Amino acid sequence: MRTKHGLFIVISIILTVLALLLAGEAITRLFGATNVYQYDARLGWRPKENFSTQIPVIDQSGASYAADYSTNAFGFRTFGNPDSTKKRFLFVGDSWTGDPNTSDEDAYFGVVGKDLPVEIFAIGGGGYGTLQELMLIREYASLIKPDIFVLQYCDNDLINNSFALEAPRITRNQKNFRPYWVDGQVSYRLAGDSWYVLLHRYSRLFRTLDMLWSMVQYKMYQGYYPPEYRAYDGLSPAQSPVQQVEITTLKKTAIETTAILLQAMKEALPDKTKRVTFAASTDVPEEMRIWQDLADQAGFVAYPSVSQKVEAAEASGVIVRVQDGAHWNRQGNRIAGEELARLIARDYLQE
């Protein structure tokens, strides 16, 4: 009798847990935040195709506005006419380009399209590294045949390009999917059939819990790394001379990898394509020097004044960022887009 009673309790517990999990899955699917990206076996994740939504955005002042986000059949936020006689501009980047912090037309590339008589093509992915951006170029360069290619760079690209530097990071939803360039070939941290990848792909509840745990960790660690690895992010000194040597070596390798990928971008684009890059931030001199050196080696023209204009406006009291304190809001995008349009018109549209 006791055995039957015990079995009943076990079965009841299992059924209760399953019911709670199913309820949690249903609730997160119904009320969870909109995700503009989808799983991709090669890229890790990519923008959803033929997708449109309106997302509420709050900036650092607390003001809110609606961002109208949309993509075409290729996942581009803006896709002009590839057969146009106008100059064709291809923009590729990470979250500053792909995330819905503004409406498509208010994003920096949309501002360039308003200011200049050109065809705009823009695509990006939040958290993308240089290899993912290279893969997009290889996929679409022959279709678009851009006259001008604009790479939106971010100083965390070096970490995103390093299998080792990113390993201790709490961004599991990126590092466990991202392709890396390791020893001359594309490599992935986890196989496509690993438990984490499968749960993340198919369970909205798992994705939500994983994201919430990352947010808790971020607050605990005051950054993306546990305390013992904070020097990886450059936020604190190395804990020992040995760790400093390790970080220096890993960063050197990351820079070398990024140089290889930027050179591959150059080779993936048509010979006639002019190559331009701007950084999402230029407030750390050492990181800006690395970016400019990498750009110069790969034959890109670097435009530091794009982000410098945004940072100068911010220093004067203008609200230029969304609530996360990093990404540009509509005003920041407008400033960056106008400066980028001015520079490109000066250098490439006077012919």
Side-chain angles (χ1 to χ4, degrees), residues 149-168:
F149 169 67
V150 181
L151 174 65
Q152 174 260 301
Y153 176 88
C154 185
D155 55 12
N156 65 13
D157 285 351
L158 294 181
I159 292 173
N160 297 156
N161 295 341
S162 170
F163 191 95
L165 279 176
E166 197 164 39

Side-chain angles (χ1 to χ4, degrees), residues 88-110:
R88 295 177 296 278
F89 284 21
L90 171 59
F91 298 83
V92 175
D94 55 24
S95 52
W96 267 262
T97 301
D99 280 3
N101 293 309
T102 68
S103 296
D104 305 329
E105 64 179 11
D106 294 328
Y108 73 87
F109 51 82

